[in-house]
Amino acid sequence: MHRLYEGGASRLNGQVEHVANSPDTQSGLTYQGAGVDIDAGDALVRAIKPLAKSTARPGADTGLGGFGGAFDLKAAGFSDPVLVSGTDGVGTKLKLAIATGILDTVGIDLVAMCVNDILAQGAEPLFFLDYFATGKLDPAKGKDIVSGIAEGCRQSGCALIGGETAEMPGMYTGDDFDLAGFVVGAAERGALLPLHDQMQAGDVLVGLASSGPHSNGYSLIRRVADHAGLGFDAPAPFAPEKSLGEALLTPTRIYVKALMPLIRAGQIKGLAHITGGGITENTPRMLPGHLTFDVDYDTFERPAVFQWLQEAGNIAEAEMRRTFNCGIGMIVAVSPDQADAVVDALNANGETASVIGTLKAA
């Protein structure tokens, strides 16, 4: 279903429908002359078809070119599902991708921000759609972007079943583009998180390590780099084997495959996806009103990128904690008797997990 559409041209079942841009059809005006290249859109659709196919999963038909994408919940193994949806973008991290020309990782960020959100509701991501808008469509660059989206879908086990590619001259200038993502997942009825009726004071908080800032705080990050007089092609002070741009474009970690088995086993009471607002503002989103939390920031390692940001930008600790994840990308609430088993299972599945706090009466 991934198609080219902007004003007067749309991609329908693999064919391009042309619509006049002016009532004066004798004027010789063309859509390409107005800045929209239908051929480039066709080339991009051809290039991304195998990427979408690589994300196939039970329940999904990943054929592109139609008006909509279909998903069979029964084929996916659900008997009485509740659907959970989410949408997000990448934010100003895209400015780094545009400045550096590194375009094949922000698609992972796009998927991650969406699937980690619905995972926090206990939902398994099923299918994903993207919206990619630019002023001038470059099929090679578009393919790089969608390749990252496909990789994010493979990491999270959801199918890329469609999307929209919009070429909009006059709306975006130069190499600028924007991305938005949309995910639909499902959970069996009665299994949605958080389990407020089971949460109680004394429950344990387990933190899963982040890969860096993920996709939050990049307006401040870019300001820090500018304040430090560093270009994105300079060696990263916190990772000198990489350029600053490469290091800051490390994609958001996706936690689906590590956490879904524990959710299905009933070992998890709640999840908090740590995005903008940090631990401070996101953890309460999973808690009932009668509970609050304590987190010991000394129990987990803070990636070097955050130390550099704090020192180079002279950022107060309180500002760090309310802007960045500071090293924790997801927080899990579990019973005390499940904490060790959950930590061991997460570490065995490739995560870096540890006990970082507890719940207490508000």
Side-chain angles (χ1 to χ4, degrees), residues 114-192:
C114 294
V115 299
N116 285 342
D117 270 356
I118 68 164
L119 179 67
Q121 301 295 128
E124 175 190 350
L126 300 177
F127 60 89
F128 192 86
L129 300 98
D130 68 277
Y131 175 78
F132 165 43
T134 185
K136 180 65 176 176
L137 185 61
D138 181 322
K141 292 180 179 179
K143 182 181 178 182
D144 283 347
I145 292 166
V146 178
S147 72
I149 295 171
E151 173 60 23
C153 287
R154 289 190 294 268
Q155 288 184 24
S156 57
C158 67
L160 177 60
I161 67 169
E164 183 79 355
T165 302
E167 187 176 29
M168 298 189 289
M171 182 68 73
Y172 299 90
T173 60
D175 293 326
D176 284 349
F177 67 91
D178 200 8
L179 291 176
F182 313 88
V183 67
V184 174
E188 293 292 355
R189 194 175 305 275
L192 290 171

Side-chain angles (χ1 to χ4, degrees), residues 93 105 108-117 119 151-152 155-156 207-216 218 249-259 273-275 325 327-330 346-353:
K93 191 173 186 178
T105 59
I108 301 174
D109 289 297
L110 183 68
V111 176
M113 296 302 288
C114 294
V115 299
N116 285 342
D117 270 356
L119 179 67
E151 173 60 23
Q155 288 184 24
S156 57
L208 280 71
S210 68
S211 57
H214 284 182
S215 295
N216 300 107
Y218 274 81
L249 283 168
T250 299
T252 305
R253 192 158 184 84
I254 294 174
Y255 300 103
V256 174
K257 291 185 177 179
L259 284 170
H273 183 202
I274 309 305
T275 55
N325 65 59
I328 296 295
M330 187 77 79
L346 290 170
N347 287 330
N349 276 327
E351 301 298 334
T352 300

Side-chain angles (χ1 to χ4, degrees), residues 188-346:
E188 293 292 355
R189 194 175 305 275
L192 290 171
L193 297 179
L195 302 176
H196 281 172
D197 59 335
Q198 297 183 26
M199 286 184 174
Q200 56 189 359
D203 282 345
V204 173
L205 297 179
V206 174
L208 280 71
S210 68
S211 57
H214 284 182
S215 295
N216 300 107
Y218 274 81
S219 294
L220 178 55
I221 290 171
R222 292 185 296 113
R223 181 68 62 86
V224 171
D226 184 62
H227 180 74
L230 290 175
F232 294 126
D233 57 349
F238 53 91
E241 72 280 4
K242 299 179 180 180
S243 70
L244 181 60
E246 289 172 327
L248 291 175
L249 283 168
T250 299
T252 305
R253 192 158 184 84
I254 294 174
Y255 300 103
V256 174
K257 291 185 177 179
L259 284 170
M260 278 309 307
L262 301 177
I263 294 172
R264 294 192 184 102
Q267 293 176 276
I268 292 176
K269 295 185 179 184
L271 291 171
H273 183 202
I274 309 305
T275 55
I279 293 172
T280 305
E281 296 185 16
N282 284 288
T283 307
R285 296 170 66 182
M286 71 169 169
L287 301 180
H290 66 281
L291 293 175
T292 186
F293 68 99
D294 277 328
V295 164
D296 184 349
Y297 283 78
D298 292 329
T299 57
F300 56 90
E301 183 176 353
R302 184 174 292 194
V305 60
F306 295 115
Q307 181 178 349
W308 170 72
L309 286 167
Q310 187 167 23
E311 293 176 354
N314 191 28
I315 303 172
E317 179 64 17
E319 183 69 14
M320 291 292 297
R321 293 184 183 185
R322 70 192 300 265
T323 303
F324 301 113
N325 65 59
C326 291
I328 296 295
M330 187 77 79
I331 291 180
V332 187
V334 300
S335 298
D337 61 355
Q338 291 289 328
D340 288 343
V342 166
V343 168
D344 290 345
L346 290 170

